[in-house]
């Protein structure tokens, strides 16, 4: 039984180390498992799927950390301040994105106008600053 406990302890330490290194370490272990011993790769793959290490979508992060991606601190004043600041930053981000969209549209319009002006010119006419 002592051997089984040592193996169990070693597996727990290996899992903790792989978790510390992140998903790329788990994927590398899975690939090496497939290359050197196929069933080991399958075992790692199934374990990654079963334990939830394969995916980390935005909805999972929201569920894990709370509404905005952060767990409550227990200090209601700080949590309210953080929520207010995040809301303000989201509003600023929306305004900035709208500004950038207006800039893109203005640039697109200027490029289209230049295209139309070039198209209206006779094909043999020289463009200012360019030789024919």
């Amino acid at each position: 039984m002592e051997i089984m406990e040592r193996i169990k302890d070693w597996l727990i330490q290996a899992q903790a180390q792989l978790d510390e290194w992140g998903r790329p370490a788990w994927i590398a272990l899975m690939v090496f498992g497939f290359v050197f011993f196929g069933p080991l790769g399958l075992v790692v793959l199934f374990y990654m799927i079963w334990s939830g290490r394969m995916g980390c979508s935005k909805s999972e992060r929201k569920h894990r950390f709370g509404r905005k991606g952060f767990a409550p601190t227990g200090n209601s004043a700080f949590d309210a301040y953080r929520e207010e600041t995040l809301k303000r930053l989201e509003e600023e981000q929306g305004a900035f994105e709208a500004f950038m969209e207006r800039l893109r549209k203005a640039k697109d319009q200027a490029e289209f106008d230049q295209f139309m002006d070039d198209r209206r010119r006779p094909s043999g006419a020289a463009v200012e600053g360019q030789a024919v």
Side-chain angles (χ1 to χ4, degrees):
M1 291 308 282
E2 185 177 310
I3 294 174
M4 294 301 287
E5 288 179 21
R6 284 185 182 181
I7 291 173
K8 182 180 175 183
D9 290 342
W10 182 83
L11 287 173
I12 290 171
Q13 290 174 352
Q15 176 186 355
Q17 185 64 50
L18 287 169
D19 285 342
E20 185 178 319
W21 290 336
R23 190 182 309 172
W26 281 101
I27 292 172
L29 176 65
M30 179 180 60
V31 169
F32 285 120
F34 278 120
V35 169
F36 296 111
F37 186 67
L40 177 63
L42 281 175
V43 167
V44 173
L45 174 64
F46 289 134
Y47 179 74
M48 288 173 62
I49 293 170
W50 173 79
S51 66
R53 285 173 173 80
M54 275 299 282
C56 190
S57 67
K58 289 182 181 179
S59 63
E60 288 175 2
R61 272 186 256 141
K62 280 184 182 178
H63 175 70
R64 193 179 317 154
F65 296 112
R67 183 177 154 255
K68 297 287 185 185
F70 296 100
T73 62
N75 184 319
S76 60
F78 177 77
D79 289 342
Y81 166 77
R82 180 178 56 197
E83 289 293 322
E84 190 177 304
T85 302
L86 289 174
K87 183 179 178 186
R88 180 182 52 81
L89 288 172
E90 287 173 354
E91 290 170 357
E92 287 180 13
Q93 179 182 4
F96 179 73
E97 288 172 354
F99 171 75
M100 292 301 292
E101 184 63 28
R102 288 193 309 271
L103 284 180
R104 283 187 209 100
K105 285 182 181 180
K107 181 183 174 194
D108 289 348
Q109 186 64 48
E111 290 172 347
F112 176 74
D113 291 343
Q114 182 181 358
F115 167 76
M116 292 304 288
D117 289 345
D118 290 349
R119 191 170 165 203
R120 288 185 191 121
R121 286 194 193 116
S123 61
V127 177
E128 186 178 317
Q130 294 180 349
V132 181

